Amino acid sequence: MTHAAHAAPASHAAPSRRTVVTAAAATAAVLPLAAAGRAGAAGTPAFHHGVASGDPLPDGVVLWTRVTPVPEAVPGSAAGPDLEVAWEVAEDAAFRAVVTSGRTTATAASDHTVKADVRGLRPDTGYHFRFTAAGVRSPAGRTRTAPAADAAVANLRLGVVSCSNYEAGHFAAYRHLAARDDLHAVLHLGDYIYEYGTGTYPADPVRVQQPAHEILTLADYRVRHGHYRTDPDLRALHAAHPLIAIWDDHETANDTWREGAQNHTPGAEGDWSARRAAAVQAYFEWIPVRPAVEGTTYRRLRFGDLADLHLLDLRSFRDQQAASGDDTVDAPDRTLTGRAQLDWLTSGLSASDTRWHLIGNSVMISPVAFGSVPAFLLGPIAECLGVPAGGLAVNTDQWDGYTAERRRLLDHLHDQRITNTVFLTGDIHMHWATDVPLNAATYPLSPPVATEFVVTSVTSDNLDDILGVPANTVSPLAATAVRAANRHVHWVDMDAHGYAVLDVTEQRAQMDYFTLSDRADPDATSALTRSYQTRTGTQHTTRTTTPIR
């Protein structure tokens, strides 16, 4: 059941950080963090980084924690002894009805992180879980399994987030999602961490991260992940809901491609393959997901007969981004996905027997031309997108930079008559609701073959932040120009920070978009801004005034 506070499109004082943590403790979702902190005496283990779960299956889920065996065994230190860690899963918050348990070992080789891929659970069932080491218990968490593959499922409800830059603000969006009791999982569409040094992006940090320098080594990436987990709202989110995550570029470096990145200087910053390997290792140590094909994040989850969720990796196999204005964006051999992943996606879409096909997609697939935007806004928009400002017409880091491959995917949807495909996207630090046309130049005569819902950033800079102006003073001019030049774009909000909630039923898929009052305020309120949906069989995005309930 949706919270009443989320039912009206008006600003509301959602629970404060203290309220969320206290309430969760009362239900054993998050035990008092002080209890774990007191365990940090010399020689006594502690669970400073909380607990998490992820990648729900009908019979199982991944459980995660990090244990600090001795005080000096901080993230990235490679210090501290091996330590046996027990885990248990129960039907009740008091852990009187434990259904399964096990043991594993936390070692310095995995930064003392622990993952347990628990199986043998019941489908579509909520559980409580916790860890124990040397008699010290972790905070407890809640998780939920997916429905059975053949189950008739009435609805699927996901929190949706992306682009969470620690120095750009507080993670109030996570607090609001943690407070909800109606979500099956939270989908993170990438940029879970950022690689920059302090004061680089943004130049004037709201708060300071660790380490202060740009992260390059395995120890660096481990320290950064560990420091993010000191945020109480992020810990509360992980304790409250299972996470489904894909990476984008900043988990490694800005504008990552197969053999490098815009924010990597060979030589001065070492070998790219070593840096990427370090980032990938730290990611899988700290994020509660299963490594997939070739150690990437592309994989598929199923939610009964209602929806498949195809999760893409759009960084590991892509060709280098073309320069803006370079006609190589249309070259037939350029790839964003890599051939194997595209074949996996198209064959999976064709074989699917679910009503909806959801695609977790880190960069926008809808074509967007920015040429009509006033010239004085092109630079700030390019900065927001993370692309060079000169001659900005399209964002070549998105599918717009790989048009032939996009055409192959969209032709497949059209030719195979695959309907009810919804792309769920992050990256761009803006809320969008669009149709995905087969041919944008002749839309709406050329039919849409899918829809796309794009969620804004949790904290990362968007247009008003870059310009240093109040929200909604300049961006409406740019948004109007974008919509005029791109008729398939139904809505764009270039200033909001926040999150979204996706609700899928047999009849429609709907995204409710939420905006935070102030990313710099740890107790920021949340307001429902707009709701968009696509009805089954239509491939059209329409606005609705009826929020998810």
Side-chain angles (χ1 to χ4, degrees), residues 84-89 98 100-104 116 118 130-132:
E84 186 178 71
V85 180
W87 53 265
E88 55 186 338
V89 179
V98 173
T100 188
S101 61
R103 294 179 180 274
T104 187
V118 179
R130 66 187 179 191
F131 298 83
T132 305

Side-chain angles (χ1 to χ4, degrees), residues 34-48 68 136:
R38 284 196 301 270
T44 305
F47 293 92
H48 296 306
T68 304
V136 177

